[in-house]
Amino acid sequence: MIDLRLLREDPDRVRASQRARGEDVALVDALLSADERRRSSGVRFDELRAEQKSLGKLIGRATGDEKSELLKRAEQLKADVKAAGTERDAADTETQELLLKLSNLVHPDVPVGGEEDFVTLETHGTVRDFSAEGFEPKDHLELGQLLGAIDVERGAKVSGSRFYFLTGVGALLELALVNAAMAQATAAGFTPMLTPALVRPQSMAGTGFLGQAAQDVYHLDKDDLYLVGTSEVALAAYHMDEILEAGKLPLRYAGFSPCFRREAGSHGKDTRGIFRVHQFDKVEMFSYVAPEESQEEHRRLLEWEKQWLTSLELPFRVIDVASGDLGSSAARKYDCEAWIPTQGKYRELTSTSDCTEFQSRRLQIRMREDKKVRPLATLNGTLCAVPRTIVAILENHQQPDGSVRVPEVLRPYLGGREILEPVAK
């Protein structure tokens, strides 16, 4: 959530942010009104309680008719205090509910617009010219089947559409990717974490995933638990309700977990293969920093993502995501998109978001510095979303015979394999 003081002092900035996101601007005025009622009813409640306490002292000293009048006033005050408390609590509840609906403030440098209005910041690597090499590239599913690495038919039989098995070298390739990604993160100073895949409602809501992203979340009604769509949720909630010492910041964690997404609204999109699926594994970077350090940390996370994709020898570009395509928690987001040959376009492989103080306020995570306590900033960055990374590796490193060259960074984790060979039928 945003700082209510900022809302009061500069509501136009909040309105502009909502407008840039394509979200409800009227929410700002509704929140201002609720906040004013909350504060005024709180003042009235305090005044009445003070009068009530003073009256109690007078009654103790009074006698006769004076005492009778004071007792009548005390009865009226009791009712007034109760009514004022009810009004204050209702206004406070409304304020908190509206505040939770308000998205983070968009960074002023974010390009304004929808999904296609991003700005390309840089491009890396060389896109292969398969025509010049004399063959037509196969897509990742055909390659995966030739290699005995991907089985979507049995995935659908067992679990339904958008599920899959990774088999043989496919399973080994996932493990290699996870281990290589964790090795890079550990070398950069991240603490490796294996995180829960099920979280309580306050953890999911605190990270902002029960707002605009709620339709994509799996909920277990019987247990009132949520399946995470990213380990960001567990990593953000890890320090929920804690005060962290400023001297220990930044704290950086690299979480590995299964991720579950309903992919609501994606009907007909990426139905072939394993690019868009309901369950996948991911290595996620997460940082806790002082708010004034968040933009620099954001650039660091992006550099680690670029280092990873470069080590996989993939052609990719970096985009500054437009305001209307940001998640509710993100003030700014960079995506790294790898070239997918058979689609003839770049597709998102990693993203990194600066969530400023938005999540920490909702999760009650603060930092202590010189005896002062204040909210801190949280940031997240995908290091390796496994299925999409496998898609990019298979398609970009394929050979005419259906074999796939293994990037050097993965070879130590694949028993020294340099080539993934098609299996005999």
PDB file of all heavy atoms in Angstrom, residues 275-289:
ATOM      1  N   PHE A 275       5.330 -23.398 -23.151  1.00  0.00           N
ATOM      2  CA  PHE A 275       5.658 -21.995 -22.918  1.00  0.00           C
ATOM      3  C   PHE A 275       4.748 -21.384 -21.852  1.00  0.00           C
ATOM      4  O   PHE A 275       5.196 -20.624 -20.986  1.00  0.00           O
ATOM      5  CB  PHE A 275       5.550 -21.180 -24.212  1.00  0.00           C
ATOM      6  CG  PHE A 275       6.143 -19.799 -24.097  1.00  0.00           C
ATOM      7  CD1 PHE A 275       7.499 -19.587 -24.275  1.00  0.00           C
ATOM      8  CD2 PHE A 275       5.342 -18.704 -23.773  1.00  0.00           C
ATOM      9  CE1 PHE A 275       8.056 -18.318 -24.139  1.00  0.00           C
ATOM     10  CE2 PHE A 275       5.892 -17.434 -23.650  1.00  0.00           C
ATOM     11  CZ  PHE A 275       7.245 -17.245 -23.823  1.00  0.00           C
ATOM     12  N   ARG A 276       3.451 -21.698 -21.907  1.00  0.00           N
ATOM     13  CA  ARG A 276       2.488 -21.161 -20.947  1.00  0.00           C
ATOM     14  C   ARG A 276       1.764 -22.339 -20.293  1.00  0.00           C
ATOM     15  O   ARG A 276       0.934 -23.004 -20.930  1.00  0.00           O
ATOM     16  CB  ARG A 276       1.482 -20.234 -21.642  1.00  0.00           C
ATOM     17  CG  ARG A 276       0.594 -19.449 -20.677  1.00  0.00           C
ATOM     18  CD  ARG A 276      -0.462 -18.655 -21.444  1.00  0.00           C
ATOM     19  NE  ARG A 276       0.136 -17.673 -22.319  1.00  0.00           N
ATOM     20  CZ  ARG A 276       0.468 -16.434 -21.963  1.00  0.00           C
ATOM     21  NH1 ARG A 276       0.263 -16.036 -20.728  1.00  0.00           N
ATOM     22  NH2 ARG A 276       1.006 -15.601 -22.835  1.00  0.00           N
ATOM     23  N   VAL A 277       2.090 -22.600 -19.031  1.00  0.00           N
ATOM     24  CA  VAL A 277       1.592 -23.809 -18.361  1.00  0.00           C
ATOM     25  C   VAL A 277       1.039 -23.450 -16.975  1.00  0.00           C
ATOM     26  O   VAL A 277       1.240 -22.348 -16.468  1.00  0.00           O
ATOM     27  CB  VAL A 277       2.717 -24.866 -18.224  1.00  0.00           C
ATOM     28  CG1 VAL A 277       3.088 -25.426 -19.591  1.00  0.00           C
ATOM     29  CG2 VAL A 277       3.946 -24.277 -17.532  1.00  0.00           C
ATOM     30  N   HIS A 278       0.351 -24.425 -16.384  1.00  0.00           N
ATOM     31  CA  HIS A 278      -0.253 -24.197 -15.070  1.00  0.00           C
ATOM     32  C   HIS A 278       0.706 -24.435 -13.915  1.00  0.00           C
ATOM     33  O   HIS A 278       0.502 -23.907 -12.821  1.00  0.00           O
ATOM     34  CB  HIS A 278      -1.469 -25.104 -14.884  1.00  0.00           C
ATOM     35  CG  HIS A 278      -2.645 -24.744 -15.738  1.00  0.00           C
ATOM     36  ND1 HIS A 278      -3.155 -23.466 -15.793  1.00  0.00           N
ATOM     37  CD2 HIS A 278      -3.416 -25.498 -16.573  1.00  0.00           C
ATOM     38  CE1 HIS A 278      -4.194 -23.442 -16.625  1.00  0.00           C
ATOM     39  NE2 HIS A 278      -4.369 -24.656 -17.106  1.00  0.00           N
ATOM     40  N   GLN A 279       1.726 -25.260 -14.124  1.00  0.00           N
ATOM     41  CA  GLN A 279       2.682 -25.560 -13.056  1.00  0.00           C
ATOM     42  C   GLN A 279       4.086 -25.560 -13.642  1.00  0.00           C
ATOM     43  O   GLN A 279       4.332 -26.168 -14.692  1.00  0.00           O
ATOM     44  CB  GLN A 279       2.386 -26.922 -12.430  1.00  0.00           C
ATOM     45  CG  GLN A 279       3.394 -27.316 -11.347  1.00  0.00           C
ATOM     46  CD  GLN A 279       3.137 -28.713 -10.791  1.00  0.00           C
ATOM     47  OE1 GLN A 279       2.039 -29.254 -10.918  1.00  0.00           O
ATOM     48  NE2 GLN A 279       4.139 -29.293 -10.160  1.00  0.00           N
ATOM     49  N   PHE A 280       5.007 -24.890 -12.949  1.00  0.00           N
ATOM     50  CA  PHE A 280       6.399 -24.874 -13.399  1.00  0.00           C
ATOM     51  C   PHE A 280       7.289 -24.543 -12.213  1.00  0.00           C
ATOM     52  O   PHE A 280       6.809 -24.118 -11.156  1.00  0.00           O
ATOM     53  CB  PHE A 280       6.604 -23.855 -14.530  1.00  0.00           C
ATOM     54  CG  PHE A 280       6.284 -22.435 -14.152  1.00  0.00           C
ATOM     55  CD1 PHE A 280       7.284 -21.561 -13.735  1.00  0.00           C
ATOM     56  CD2 PHE A 280       4.981 -21.966 -14.218  1.00  0.00           C
ATOM     57  CE1 PHE A 280       6.995 -20.244 -13.389  1.00  0.00           C
ATOM     58  CE2 PHE A 280       4.677 -20.648 -13.864  1.00  0.00           C
ATOM     59  CZ  PHE A 280       5.684 -19.789 -13.455  1.00  0.00           C
ATOM     60  N   ASP A 281       8.566 -24.743 -12.398  1.00  0.00           N
ATOM     61  CA  ASP A 281       9.543 -24.440 -11.344  1.00  0.00           C
ATOM     62  C   ASP A 281      10.319 -23.178 -11.711  1.00  0.00           C
ATOM     63  O   ASP A 281      10.529 -22.883 -12.899  1.00  0.00           O
ATOM     64  CB  ASP A 281      10.509 -25.603 -11.147  1.00  0.00           C
ATOM     65  CG  ASP A 281       9.804 -26.843 -10.621  1.00  0.00           C
ATOM     66  OD1 ASP A 281       8.838 -26.697  -9.858  1.00  0.00           O
ATOM     67  OD2 ASP A 281      10.207 -27.964 -10.990  1.00  0.00           O
ATOM     68  N   LYS A 282      10.758 -22.463 -10.684  1.00  0.00           N
ATOM     69  CA  LYS A 282      11.408 -21.180 -10.947  1.00  0.00           C
ATOM     70  C   LYS A 282      12.405 -20.857  -9.843  1.00  0.00           C
ATOM     71  O   LYS A 282      12.188 -21.172  -8.676  1.00  0.00           O
ATOM     72  CB  LYS A 282      10.349 -20.071 -11.053  1.00  0.00           C
ATOM     73  CG  LYS A 282      10.877 -18.677 -11.336  1.00  0.00           C
ATOM     74  CD  LYS A 282       9.804 -17.802 -11.961  1.00  0.00           C
ATOM     75  CE  LYS A 282       8.675 -17.482 -11.026  1.00  0.00           C
ATOM     76  NZ  LYS A 282       8.964 -16.273 -10.209  1.00  0.00           N
ATOM     77  N   VAL A 283      13.499 -20.202 -10.235  1.00  0.00           N
ATOM     78  CA  VAL A 283      14.441 -19.602  -9.293  1.00  0.00           C
ATOM     79  C   VAL A 283      14.197 -18.102  -9.313  1.00  0.00           C
ATOM     80  O   VAL A 283      14.263 -17.467 -10.370  1.00  0.00           O
ATOM     81  CB  VAL A 283      15.904 -19.913  -9.664  1.00  0.00           C
ATOM     82  CG1 VAL A 283      16.854 -19.196  -8.701  1.00  0.00           C
ATOM     83  CG2 VAL A 283      16.159 -21.418  -9.639  1.00  0.00           C
ATOM     84  N   GLU A 284      13.885 -17.550  -8.143  1.00  0.00           N
ATOM     85  CA  GLU A 284      13.498 -16.143  -8.020  1.00  0.00           C
ATOM     86  C   GLU A 284      14.446 -15.412  -7.092  1.00  0.00           C
ATOM     87  O   GLU A 284      14.773 -15.902  -5.993  1.00  0.00           O
ATOM     88  CB  GLU A 284      12.074 -16.057  -7.474  1.00  0.00           C
ATOM     89  CG  GLU A 284      11.531 -14.669  -7.313  1.00  0.00           C
ATOM     90  CD  GLU A 284      10.967 -14.098  -8.603  1.00  0.00           C
ATOM     91  OE1 GLU A 284      10.980 -14.806  -9.634  1.00  0.00           O
ATOM     92  OE2 GLU A 284      10.521 -12.939  -8.580  1.00  0.00           O
ATOM     93  N   MET A 285      14.907 -14.241  -7.495  1.00  0.00           N
ATOM     94  CA  MET A 285      15.711 -13.380  -6.634  1.00  0.00           C
ATOM     95  C   MET A 285      14.793 -12.412  -5.896  1.00  0.00           C
ATOM     96  O   MET A 285      13.809 -11.929  -6.462  1.00  0.00           O
ATOM     97  CB  MET A 285      16.724 -12.589  -7.466  1.00  0.00           C
ATOM     98  CG  MET A 285      17.700 -13.447  -8.248  1.00  0.00           C
ATOM     99  SD  MET A 285      18.865 -12.452  -9.233  1.00  0.00           S
ATOM    100  CE  MET A 285      17.764 -11.797 -10.519  1.00  0.00           C
ATOM    101  N   PHE A 286      15.130 -12.138  -4.647  1.00  0.00           N
ATOM    102  CA  PHE A 286      14.317 -11.210  -3.855  1.00  0.00           C
ATOM    103  C   PHE A 286      15.232 -10.394  -2.955  1.00  0.00           C
ATOM    104  O   PHE A 286      16.129 -10.943  -2.308  1.00  0.00           O
ATOM    105  CB  PHE A 286      13.293 -11.965  -3.011  1.00  0.00           C
ATOM    106  CG  PHE A 286      12.184 -11.087  -2.487  1.00  0.00           C
ATOM    107  CD1 PHE A 286      11.044 -10.880  -3.230  1.00  0.00           C
ATOM    108  CD2 PHE A 286      12.302 -10.450  -1.258  1.00  0.00           C
ATOM    109  CE1 PHE A 286      10.028 -10.053  -2.769  1.00  0.00           C
ATOM    110  CE2 PHE A 286      11.303  -9.616  -0.791  1.00  0.00           C
ATOM    111  CZ  PHE A 286      10.157  -9.421  -1.542  1.00  0.00           C
ATOM    112  N   SER A 287      14.983  -9.081  -2.893  1.00  0.00           N
ATOM    113  CA  SER A 287      15.843  -8.177  -2.122  1.00  0.00           C
ATOM    114  C   SER A 287      15.037  -7.305  -1.170  1.00  0.00           C
ATOM    115  O   SER A 287      13.948  -6.822  -1.514  1.00  0.00           O
ATOM    116  CB  SER A 287      16.633  -7.250  -3.061  1.00  0.00           C
ATOM    117  OG  SER A 287      17.467  -7.973  -3.930  1.00  0.00           O
ATOM    118  N   TYR A 288      15.596  -7.116   0.030  1.00  0.00           N
ATOM    119  CA  TYR A 288      15.116  -6.126   0.990  1.00  0.00           C
ATOM    120  C   TYR A 288      16.190  -5.050   1.089  1.00  0.00           C
ATOM    121  O   TYR A 288      17.336  -5.352   1.436  1.00  0.00           O
ATOM    122  CB  TYR A 288      14.923  -6.736   2.374  1.00  0.00           C
ATOM    123  CG  TYR A 288      13.846  -7.784   2.506  1.00  0.00           C
ATOM    124  CD1 TYR A 288      14.119  -9.122   2.225  1.00  0.00           C
ATOM    125  CD2 TYR A 288      12.574  -7.449   2.953  1.00  0.00           C
ATOM    126  CE1 TYR A 288      13.145 -10.095   2.387  1.00  0.00           C
ATOM    127  CE2 TYR A 288      11.591  -8.417   3.114  1.00  0.00           C
ATOM    128  CZ  TYR A 288      11.880  -9.734   2.823  1.00  0.00           C
ATOM    129  OH  TYR A 288      10.914 -10.699   2.986  1.00  0.00           O
ATOM    130  N   VAL A 289      15.818  -3.789   0.815  1.00  0.00           N
ATOM    131  CA  VAL A 289      16.794  -2.700   0.854  1.00  0.00           C
ATOM    132  C   VAL A 289      16.149  -1.453   1.449  1.00  0.00           C
ATOM    133  O   VAL A 289      14.924  -1.356   1.568  1.00  0.00           O
ATOM    134  CB  VAL A 289      17.333  -2.370  -0.559  1.00  0.00           C
ATOM    135  CG1 VAL A 289      17.973  -3.580  -1.214  1.00  0.00           C
ATOM    136  CG2 VAL A 289      16.227  -1.808  -1.451  1.00  0.00           C
TER     137      VAL A 289
END
